[in-house]
Amino acid sequence: MTQRKRKPTPDPAPAPSSPSPELTPSAAFDDLCRRHSAILVRQAYLLTGRPRLARRAVRRAFQRAWQRWPEVAVDADPVGWVRATAYEYALSPWHRFRPRRRVTVKGGTPEDRALLCAFVELPASYRRTLLLHDGVGLGLYETAAEVEASTAAAAGRLMHARERLAGQLPELGLAGQSPVRQGQMLQTRLSRLAAAHEVTVPAPRTVRTGSTRTVRWTTGAALGLTGLITAATVLTVVTAPDRSAPPPRRPAAQSATATRPATATATRSATPAVQAEREGVHRPPSVRKGRGGRLHVPAEARLTPGLR
């Protein structure tokens, strides 16, 4: 008997996969804040040595991220965006005007406290570069891009920071080690130092509410200031004198004789004797020469009465 060839049964069609529901903006932000807040607070604490400033820097960074969430959500590295913002706030120069408190390490060893004190004494650019490269574990190129410097400048800051720590803390054993080994040793010590710091982070919903409140307050303050400036401008325009009117026309120049006062003209037209009498000045009578060259002196000017 001939056997019929059985047709292979076709593979069952794959069931249509149900599309995964996308997270809402608030849910995505809450997830980002929940997973990275604590580690960012510890990093900011290593930068400043001040727990309250570290918490405030991270909270402000997440608030700004929520305000610009459409931009942050499509960023290639949202955590890096928040981290850069937190570092900028924590290292702001105006924080130096606040009273500085003693650096304390809760639950750490004296060696950890010495490392933190030496780390905080480094320049701000050295601290940021060293923490990103040896603490966070970024590459040299990524570190240079985040600190907005060239690769050579970032490498120089990293080398000088390691040299300073090796000189201040010989017990670390950094002297004489290769750069790769120095980075590994510092990464271990910084990670242990950050883990020893206990942090408390606010709830993501609280962060979003505070961000919205800040935006409303800033908008209201800007509108109020704009209204105040507008009212002051209008008041100044209304009460200011009108300087746009043309100045009064002056009369055309007249002759010197016409502009002189009448009294001056009358005084000049009078005889010298009359003028002297008016002015109250006594002038001696005039003396003139007579015939033959003899001087003729008036009778009133003679010392002796004239003979008839």
Side-chain angles (χ1 to χ4, degrees), residues 68-75 81:
R68 303 183 180 182
W69 185 246
E71 172 189 349
V72 178
V74 299
D75 193 89
W81 194 98

Side-chain angles (χ1 to χ4, degrees), residues 82 86 135 157 244 261 291:
V82 179
R157 296 174 186 177
S244 61
R291 297 181 180 180

